[in-house]
Amino acid sequence: MPKETAIQRRRRQAATTGVTSFRSDFNYMCRRHSNRIGIVTEGDSWFDYPRRWLLFGPDINVVHHIEAKIIGTDKVNLLRMASNGDRAEQMMSGSQKKVFETMLRRNSKYINLILFSGGGNDIVGKRNLPPLLNEYQTGFTAHQCIKQDAFEKKLNKIFEAYATLMALRSLYVPHAKVVTHCYDIAAPSEAGARFLWGLIDTKSWIYPFLVEKSIPEDLHIPIVKILLGRFRERLIAFTQLPKYLEQIYMVDTQGLLRPGNRDDWLNEIHPTESGFKTIATPIYDKMKDLYPDLP
């Protein structure tokens, strides 16, 4: 009997668990277990934040908590495509769009649900926030600290990416539903990401740029509320456009976590294990509403 190759073993394990990060394994799983619900996850760190020891540790992002519900149940084929740090514009353009499009085309019969997490990094990412902020002047309100024209242009770019996502969905998987979410209010702080007992230690994403613009601390949370609140408003409006009704669903996850609370937030912009579970719960509930056969 021929010895099982490394790829064959990986595919067998993926088919058993129903979860993979490899597109070729997903192709295999879909064809071998075509009766399962096909789910593709694409997004940013809220879908792909690394575990405490990178490969090991407790569940620490939304997709981890969803996987915990479906893994090994013989109900789902799930492909992870999310990548920590990705922007919506990045995911739906260039080579990343091409890869996503090819995956949809090759598995068009087998995909039922797309989970999408995008827009946060486009706004509060380290290279993206500074151009949206004004230098503070005495008496400025939180609203005046934001370059409103630049911010609205940024939002337009984000929702062009969402429109691209929906166009790909309509072209290749018109039967599939899209589920997305907004972002909870992050309290600016100096807490960055720490992995491997501090061997990997990054700066925070928002706070340094507010300080750089001489913006007082009492305006920090109000500024974040304006930025992420406006994104939420635009996302609700997008999902309610007549052409997208019953195609894309936004789960309102803003307000579930307490800004700056250490039980809810691991660092400046990423929840704790329990915080991510709080976010994942209504997302999975919506998935179950759409596909009652989910575990």
Side-chain angles (χ1 to χ4, degrees), residues 176-208:
K177 308 296 185 183
V178 178
V179 173
T180 188
H181 67 92
C182 54
Y183 297 88
D184 220 323
I185 304 302
S189 74
E190 296 183 80
R194 288 175 60 85
F195 304 102
L196 299 174
W197 303 279
L199 293 176
I200 300 175
D201 196 353
T202 72
K203 292 182 179 179
S204 55
W205 297 262
I206 304 172
Y207 180 80

Side-chain angles (χ1 to χ4, degrees), residues 210-273:
L210 297 173
V211 171
E212 186 179 275
K213 299 291 185 177
S214 303
I215 297 172
E217 288 201 7
D218 64 326
L219 295 180
H220 287 189
I221 289 181
I223 286 170
V224 174
K225 285 183 175 179
I226 291 170
L227 294 172
L228 297 182
R230 179 63 179 144
F231 171 77
R232 172 183 173 273
E233 291 172 0
R234 288 284 301 265
L235 185 54
I236 290 172
F238 181 87
T239 59
Q240 291 179 350
L241 289 172
K243 62 182 175 180
Y244 297 139
L245 289 178
E246 299 185 357
Q247 297 179 17
I248 181 170
Y249 301 84
M250 192 277 274
V251 179
D252 190 354
T253 54
Q254 197 166 105
L256 297 181
L257 307 182
R258 297 159 290 184
N261 185 284
R262 291 187 178 182
D263 290 333
D264 292 349
W265 294 91
L266 180 66
N267 54 44
E268 188 186 46
I269 65 171
H270 298 104
T272 58
E273 176 191 2

Side-chain angles (χ1 to χ4, degrees), residues 18-19 27 37 86 93 124 138 148 164 225 239:
V19 176
N27 299 346
I37 298 168
D86 272 3
S93 64
V124 298
T138 303
Q148 297 296 330
T164 298
K225 285 183 175 179
T239 59

Side-chain angles (χ1 to χ4, degrees), residues 27 32 99 149:
N27 299 346
R32 187 172 180 84
V99 168
D149 287 347

Side-chain angles (χ1 to χ4, degrees), residues 14-177:
T16 299
T17 62
V19 176
T20 185
S21 296
F22 294 91
R23 296 187 302 279
S24 60
D25 292 1
F26 184 67
N27 299 346
Y28 170 82
M29 290 158 58
C30 286
R31 285 151 184 80
R32 187 172 180 84
H33 300 282
S34 59
N35 59 312
R36 293 177 179 175
I37 298 168
I39 302 176
V40 175
T41 70
E42 174 63 295
D44 52 25
S45 58
W46 278 41
F47 277 13
D48 190 50
Y49 194 71
R51 298 179 189 272
R52 185 180 303 168
W53 297 286
L54 300 184
L55 295 178
F56 305 99
D59 294 340
I60 197 59
N61 62 55
V62 168
V63 174
H64 284 162
H65 288 288
I66 290 171
E67 286 175 12
K69 294 180 179 294
I70 60 93
I71 197 164
T73 61
D74 196 30
K75 294 281 190 178
V76 172
N77 293 319
L78 185 146
L79 173 64
R80 305 188 199 101
M81 294 188 71
S83 183
N84 190 27
D86 272 3
R87 295 174 289 109
E89 293 179 68
Q90 187 179 5
M91 289 181 260
M92 291 296 130
S93 64
S95 60
Q96 283 190 239
K97 176 194 171 189
K98 188 175 292 186
V99 168
F100 186 74
E101 182 174 11
T102 300
M103 181 279 304
L104 292 181
R105 177 172 52 80
R106 288 180 176 171
N107 299 287
S108 58
K109 292 191 298 184
Y110 309 105
I111 296 170
N112 306 101
L113 184 58
I114 298 170
L115 303 184
F116 189 72
S117 177
N121 287 325
D122 303 65
I123 298 169
V124 298
K126 293 180 180 179
R127 291 182 295 275
N128 301 301
L129 180 60
L132 304 181
L133 298 175
N134 285 313
E135 186 74 27
Y136 179 76
Q137 296 182 34
T138 303
F140 263 16
T141 64
H143 192 273
Q144 289 171 319
C145 291
I146 299 168
K147 294 180 179 177
Q148 297 296 330
D149 287 347
F151 181 40
E152 288 301 320
K153 287 179 182 177
K154 172 59 70 174
L155 289 171
N156 290 341
K157 288 287 186 184
I158 292 170
F159 287 100
E160 285 175 15
Y162 272 82
T164 298
L165 169 67
M166 296 309 295
L168 293 176
R169 173 243 170 230
S170 294
L171 181 60
Y172 297 108
V173 287
H175 55 280
K177 308 296 185 183

